């Protein structure tokens, strides 16, 4: 189903390389995704990708993740949005995206993610990043902001992880970090890729 965010996202990616959209989807979709995220049974500690292996690194990231599999109506609704976004990005920006992967992420109190790039160096893979936040009643004192930098490591923007905020950026251009969260923080991080492993 056509969504009016598609042209906005495309224009912003061309002009600035990133966009922050508040009130991106319906309240009901956001709440339903939050309920899924709050089912804590299936989370695993997230790894850091090394040259040839994935290992846990407590000092760099502390979040716990759960991959979306599209098995529920709610996940399906979110993935329908990203599927069509992928088509628009390919049609209008010729990005040749072939695949989208996404996971729920939970940051417990004190959790953070050090500054990093989502694209792995020297292999063209993650091209466009999406981060969608699910946290109701999030205040300044709760921390957990996403801080985005540019290619020269100059500050670009700071985003509060408030419910129904969607951030989209070019994976290869923007180093970013998650500041320590002061309470449980839920999000869905996703990536459009040009390969499928
Ligand atoms: C990531 C990431 C940002 C966020 O998972 O790679 O940078 O705000 N997440 O959750
Ligand atoms: Mn990231």
């Amino acid at each position: 189903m056509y969504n009016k965010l598609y042209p906005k996202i495309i224009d912003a990616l061309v002009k600035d390389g990133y966009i922050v959209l508040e009130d991106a989807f319906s309240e009901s979709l956001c709440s339903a995704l939050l309920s899924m995220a709050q089912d804590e049974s299936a989370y695993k500690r997230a790894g850091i990708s090394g040259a040839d292996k994935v290992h846990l690194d407590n000092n760099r990231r502390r979040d716990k993740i759960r991959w979306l599999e599209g098995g529920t109506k709610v996940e399906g609704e979110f993935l329908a949005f990203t599927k069509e976004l992928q088509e628009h990005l390919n049609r209008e920006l010729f990005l040749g995206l072939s695949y989208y992967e996404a996971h729920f992420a939970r940051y417990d109190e004190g959790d953070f993610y050090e500054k990093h790039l989502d694209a792995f160096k020297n292999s063209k893979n993650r091209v466009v990043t999406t981060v969608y936040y699910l946290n109701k009643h999030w205040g300044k004192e709760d921390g957990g902001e996403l801080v985005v930098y540019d290619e020269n490591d100059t500050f670009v923007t700071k985003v509060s992880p408030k419910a129904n905020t969607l951030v989209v950026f070019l994976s290869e251009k923007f180093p970013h970090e998650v500041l320590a969260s002061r309470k449980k923080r839920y999000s869905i991080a996703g990536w459009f890729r040009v390969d499928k492993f």
Side-chain angles (χ1 to χ4, degrees):
M1 214 184 61
Y2 180 77
N3 187 303
K4 65 181 187 318
L5 297 181
Y6 299 137
K8 268 195 173 175
I9 293 170
I10 283 166
D11 289 351
L13 288 183
V14 170
K15 190 166 160 280
D16 305 315
Y18 77 98
I19 187 168
V20 179
L21 294 155
E22 289 177 9
D23 301 317
F25 306 132
S26 67
E27 291 275 339
S28 60
L29 177 57
C30 185
S31 300
L33 288 166
L34 175 62
S35 301
M36 283 201 70
Q38 284 171 328
D39 166 12
E40 308 215 333
S41 54
Y43 280 93
K44 289 200 183 73
R45 278 294 311 279
I48 301 269
S49 303
D52 57 1
K53 62 175 191 294
V54 175
H55 63 275
L56 290 178
D57 190 337
N58 237 349
N59 297 322
R60 289 167 67 189
R61 74 184 289 188
R62 296 253 172 99
D63 56 324
K64 294 89 190 169
I65 65 170
R66 189 169 97 226
W67 292 96
L68 270 74
E69 280 154 10
T72 65
K73 187 165 171 287
V74 187
E75 281 187 29
E77 204 178 317
F78 180 82
L79 294 173
F81 172 83
T82 59
K83 182 167 187 288
E84 199 172 332
L85 176 58
Q86 178 178 318
E87 287 160 12
H88 283 264
L89 290 168
N90 284 344
R91 201 176 313 138
E92 292 174 47
L93 303 181
F94 308 104
L95 292 181
L97 306 169
S98 58
Y99 184 65
Y100 179 75
E101 60 183 355
H103 61 60
F104 289 102
R106 186 185 91 226
Y107 290 71
D108 294 319
E109 191 179 340
D111 288 355
F112 58 85
Y113 193 161
E114 276 192 356
K115 196 196 284 180
H116 64 280
L117 267 180
D118 287 341
F120 307 125
K121 283 266 184 267
N122 303 323
S123 61
K124 208 164 160 46
N125 38 47
R126 290 175 165 178
V127 177
V128 176
T129 299
T130 62
V131 193
Y132 180 63
Y133 298 109
L134 303 171
N135 310 290
K136 306 203 166 158
H137 316 296
W138 198 271
K140 254 196 148 59
E141 67 284 2
D142 298 321
E145 296 97 338
L146 170 71
V147 187
V148 181
Y149 304 86
D150 68 10
E151 284 168 299
N152 307 314
D153 260 352
T154 305
F155 172 86
V156 173
T157 189
K158 195 183 213 182
V159 184
S160 172
K162 281 187 186 143
N164 213 9
T165 298
L166 175 69
V167 182
V168 184
F169 60 88
L170 298 175
S171 309
E172 290 157 306
K173 294 230 152 97
F174 296 93
H176 53 281
E177 66 182 319
V178 178
L179 303 183
S181 192
R182 299 275 150 250
K183 63 183 195 194
K184 271 195 205 299
R185 173 195 194 269
Y186 296 100
S187 58
I188 299 174
W191 299 273
F192 293 102
R193 308 177 61 122
V194 291
D195 58 333
K196 189 179 185 292
F197 304 98

